[in-house]
């Protein structure tokens, strides 16, 4: 963005992980100013912000005063805390009177119940801030060689619509590839949960299936039979297993949020709630941080699902020896 061109709007992003940085780049490329508050964070986080044309502010009150819109894109366990930060800042006496209302757009992988809880907090403590509930389906935005952007789908819900917001709400909704799915808070994040359950649930099944096959000495035969009779599963398992270990720690809470979604909004009882044990499977992977590192290294060397199964098997055997 040339410095002579005035931005269409200012967006605050909390925080700037891979998805946050991808969205920040997409926004900067479309003439938006992006800011974040990285106080108390590492120097490399601050450098990362500067490297990606994200301006740093030093307090949450500043963030709220300068931003027209705030995007919350954090690990699921930090979603409520991030909403509270914005509630505190927008209740602070230094939060300035403004022409247009501040929008808080929660894009985290949380259950509809968590989204309703956040909505209740805003209604009670910061009624002038407009909450939009949402979820991101797909990977971070990326500029292709031809200059076009691939972007994830951003599904949103709630009574407030970004297309009606000022400044530039309609344009911003297009840039972010936003789709309003329902006026009820929770339906968009619930849609994200339903979507995520299928891929991440399948990968958890693949962890147990391939680890067990390894112990039985039939990994190659399992692969051969999958390729012949269920080639989609062969491909999905391979891809899921090799990419999962470094993300497993983040998925623990996400699986619990999916479980809560299926219980509270799907009507499933405790003993039907299959995502509680799935969360424990990812916790097991995350606990073996060695595993996460080894597999990431292995991936660079072109290793496979079978290698993940071998490492998982070694992990469960170590645990068994410890408890015996
Ligand atoms: C920021 O950019 C500089 C120069 O391109 C690079 O050396 C540095 O590693 C980058 N830092 C981060 C945290 O991305
Ligand atoms: C309001 O914000 C200022 C500046 O960030 C801070 O110093 C102060 O403690 C805040 N007040 C309250 C009541 O939180
Ligand atoms: C919105 O969701 C509610 C359930 O929460 C449903 O009854 C209603 O039909 C949905 N509205 C639209 C327009 O799809
Ligand atoms: C992971 O580690 C924590 C802390 O040591 C422990 O409480 C938990 O039971 C472990 N989970 C699994 C699935 O091994």
């Amino acid at each position: 963005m040339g410095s002579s061109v005035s931005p269409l709007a200012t967006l605050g992003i909390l925080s700037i992980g891979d998805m946050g940085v991808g969205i920040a780049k997409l926004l900067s490329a479309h003439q938006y100013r992006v800011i974040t508050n990285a106080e108390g964070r590492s120097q490399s986080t601050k450098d990362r912000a500067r490297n990606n044309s994200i301006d740093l502010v030093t307090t949450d009150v500043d963030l709220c005063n300068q931003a027209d819109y705030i995007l919350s894109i954090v690990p699921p366990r930090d979603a409520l805390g991030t909403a509270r930060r914005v509630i505190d800042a927008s209740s602070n006496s230094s939060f300035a009177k403004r022409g247009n209302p501040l929008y808080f757009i929660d894009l985290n992988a949380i259950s509809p119940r968590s989204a309703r809880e956040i909505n209740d907090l805003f209604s009670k403590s910061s009624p002038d801030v407009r909450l939009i509930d949402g979820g991101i389906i797909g990977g971070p935005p990326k500029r292709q060689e031809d200059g076009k952007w691939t972007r994830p789908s951003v599904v949103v819900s709630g009574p407030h619509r970004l297309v009606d917001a000022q400044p530039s709400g309609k344009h911003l909704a297009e840039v972010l590839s936003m789709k309003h799915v329902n006026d009820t808070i929770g339906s968009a994040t619930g849609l994200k949960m339903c979507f995520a359950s299928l891929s991440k649930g399948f990968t958890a099944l693949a962890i147990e299936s391939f680890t067990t096959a390894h112990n039985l000495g039939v990994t190659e035969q399992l692969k051969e039979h999958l390729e012949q009779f269920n080639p989609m599963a062969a491909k999905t398992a391979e891809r899921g297993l090799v990419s999962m270990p470094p993300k497993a720690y983040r998925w623990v809470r996400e699986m619990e949020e999916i479980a809560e979604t299926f219980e509270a909004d799907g009507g499933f009882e405790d003993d039907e709630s299959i995502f509680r044990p799935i969360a424990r499977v990812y916790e097991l992977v995350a606990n073996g941080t060695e595993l996460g590192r080894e597999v990431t290294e292995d991936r660079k060397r072109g290793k496979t699902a079978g290698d993940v199964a071998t490492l998982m098997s070694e992990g469960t055997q170590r645990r068994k020896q410890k408890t015996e």
Side-chain angles (χ1 to χ4, degrees), residues 291-303:
L291 176 68
R293 202 164 43 233
E294 280 172 47
V295 174
T296 311
E297 288 302 307
D298 282 350
R299 228 175 115 200
K300 290 184 200 142
R301 294 196 295 263
K303 293 267 174 83

Side-chain angles (χ1 to χ4, degrees), residues 152-168:
S153 174
V154 177
V155 292
V156 287
S157 62
H160 304 296
R161 292 184 186 228
L162 196 66
V163 289
D164 301 327
Q166 290 298 333
S168 302

